[in-house]
């Protein structure tokens, strides 16, 4: 039975990884200028001497890499939050993480002209941590209950949204279009500097999250059972929130508020791979990457010559899905 499960999980991971690779090649090939797959391969191995090499390596590849990293970061962040809060409706949008990161980045863009992109993930993560710390302090009452964490998080998200709009209105007019485009969740114009700023956060915190997979499995049994099994519940929650905030904050810093991936991907992952976080985390990461790749591809291709932000498509799919989950839980 154990061998059968292991084979099933390996098959799921292999299939999703293959799908990510195929979709990435398709995204590199199609666009305003169609590039044959052969030329894409030649560019990737450094053998393409034609003009298409510039398009592939300097314009499309950074965008694809950003979609993969950001989708993985947001989905793993959502999976961790759902494990900590023990609520399938939890996501970085819900607990104020995205809102805190947005306020910090918009303030940074407004008051510090000519900023370096390498600072943006740090600023976003700092803002997200402040929002989550405020949430945690307000929710504390002889420990933190997941229910209070969610309720206070909704209030903080609303407050952060209002503060972001205030900064946008009161800031310089010439920044308004740039900030609005960022706020809708776009990876348009992403270059290698953004990837350099983003990838270390994902490379560090997704593996750290996997180290806590067993702890999340224990916590899913309930607080009393987890404590009985030796879990240091509050410390583990703080660490897991720390990892989740770092991943979501870094993603928001580069791409803006791409919503609902942290809700969608873990749910689909549970349907495919079950509830064990050792497999749920990598499956969520791959599914998040696929969702954002598809959303960005739709934004590039469906309304040419306009480039619609990927966040528009994730919100368009995610909002009805959230309502479905809400009504499903009410019916139970």
């Amino acid at each position: 039975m154990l061998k059968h499960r292991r084979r099933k999980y390996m098959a799921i991971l292999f299939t999703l990884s293959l799908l990510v690779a195929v979709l990435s090649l398709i995204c590199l090939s199609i666009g305003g200028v169609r590039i044959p797959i052969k030329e894409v391969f030649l560019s990737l191995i450094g053998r393409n001497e034609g003009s298409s090499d510039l398009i592939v390596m300097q314009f499309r590849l950074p965008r694809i890499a950003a979609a993969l990293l950001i989708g993985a970061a947001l989905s793993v962040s959502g999976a961790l939050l759902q494990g900590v809060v023990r609520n399938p409706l939890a996501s970085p949008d819900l607990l104020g993480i995205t809102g805190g990161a947005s306020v910090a980045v918009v303030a940074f863009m407004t008051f510090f002209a000519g900023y370096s992109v390498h600072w943006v993930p740090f600023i976003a993560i700092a803002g997200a941590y402040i929002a989550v710390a405020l949430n945690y302090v307000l929710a504390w009452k002889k420990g933190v209950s997941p229910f209070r964490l969610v309720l206070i998080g909704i209030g903080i998200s609303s407050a952060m949204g209002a503060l972001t709009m205030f900064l946008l209105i009161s800031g310089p007019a010439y920044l308004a279009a740039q900030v609005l485009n960022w706020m809708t969740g776009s990876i348009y114009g992403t270059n290698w500097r953004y990837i350099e700023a983003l990838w270390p956060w994902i490379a560090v915190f997704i593996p750290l999250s996997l180290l806590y997979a067993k702890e999340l499995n224990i916590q899913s049994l309930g607080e009393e059972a987890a404590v009985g099994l030796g879990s240091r519940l509050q410390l583990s929650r703080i660490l897991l929130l720390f990892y989740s905030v770092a991943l979501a904050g870094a993603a928001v810093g580069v791409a803006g508020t791409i919503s609902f991936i942290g809700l969608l991907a873990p749910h689909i992952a549970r349907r495919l791979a079950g509830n064990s976080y050792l497999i749920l985390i990598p499956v969520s990461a791959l599914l998040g990457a696929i969702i954002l790749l598809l959303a960005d591809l739709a934004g590039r291709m469906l309304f040419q010559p306009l480039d619609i932000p990927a966040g528009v498509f994730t919100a368009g799919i995610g909002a009805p899905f959230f309502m479905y989950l809400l009504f499903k839980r009410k019916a139970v």
Side-chain angles (χ1 to χ4, degrees), residues 5 59 63 66 84 90 100 103 113 116 144 159 182 199 211 228 232 280 284 286 289 321 329:
R5 275 188 185 175
F59 295 107
R63 187 167 178 166
V84 170
V103 168
S116 168
V144 172
W182 176 85
W199 77 263
L211 292 177
R232 299 173 69 181
L280 186 64
S284 294
L286 290 168
F321 185 73
R329 283 176 66 80

Side-chain angles (χ1 to χ4, degrees), residues 130-246:
I130 290 168
V132 169
L134 180 62
N135 190 345
Y136 211 82
V137 168
L138 292 174
W140 184 275
K141 189 179 180 183
K142 297 179 182 178
V144 172
S145 81
F147 182 70
R148 283 199 302 273
L149 207 62
V150 170
L151 282 181
I152 293 168
I154 292 169
I156 290 173
S157 294
S158 299
M160 293 296 174
L163 186 54
T164 302
M165 290 308 297
F166 171 76
L167 287 168
L168 178 63
I169 292 166
S170 60
Y174 68 87
L175 274 177
Q178 180 186 348
V179 172
L180 275 172
N181 187 55
W182 176 85
M183 284 174 62
T184 53
S186 175
I187 52 176
Y188 173 77
T190 306
N191 56 44
W192 289 114
R193 289 184 302 148
Y194 288 94
I195 305 303
E196 287 171 10
L198 178 62
W199 77 263
W201 299 96
I202 284 81
V204 169
F205 285 103
I206 288 182
L208 283 176
S209 302
L210 281 167
L211 292 177
Y212 268 78
K214 185 179 177 182
E215 177 64 30
L216 282 166
N217 290 337
I218 292 171
Q219 288 191 24
S220 67
L221 301 173
E223 290 188 12
E224 290 182 7
V227 172
L229 290 168
S231 171
R232 299 173 69 181
L233 197 62
Q234 298 303 330
L235 178 61
S236 297
R237 279 180 179 166
I238 290 170
L239 281 172
L240 287 164
L241 278 173
F242 181 87
Y243 299 160
S244 176
V245 171

Side-chain angles (χ1 to χ4, degrees), residues 6-88:
R6 205 171 279 172
R7 283 176 185 169
K8 178 189 171 185
Y9 294 155
M10 292 304 294
I12 291 168
L13 287 172
F14 175 77
T15 303
L16 290 174
S17 299
L18 186 62
L19 186 55
V20 166
V22 170
L23 278 173
S24 297
L25 284 173
I26 291 170
C27 291
L28 287 169
S29 176
I30 65 176
V33 176
R34 298 289 179 112
I35 299 172
I37 293 289
K38 181 182 176 182
E39 290 185 24
V40 171
F41 271 118
L42 289 172
S43 289
L44 293 175
I45 63 174
R47 298 286 182 86
N48 187 357
E49 296 179 1
S51 59
S52 60
D53 185 62
L54 178 66
I55 297 171
V56 171
M57 299 304 294
Q58 296 303 319
F59 295 107
R60 291 186 186 168
L61 188 57
R63 187 167 178 166
I64 304 309
L68 296 175
L69 292 172
I70 291 162
L74 290 172
S75 56
V76 172
S77 176
L80 295 179
L81 284 177
Q82 289 171 18
V84 170
V85 178
R86 297 203 315 278
N87 187 332

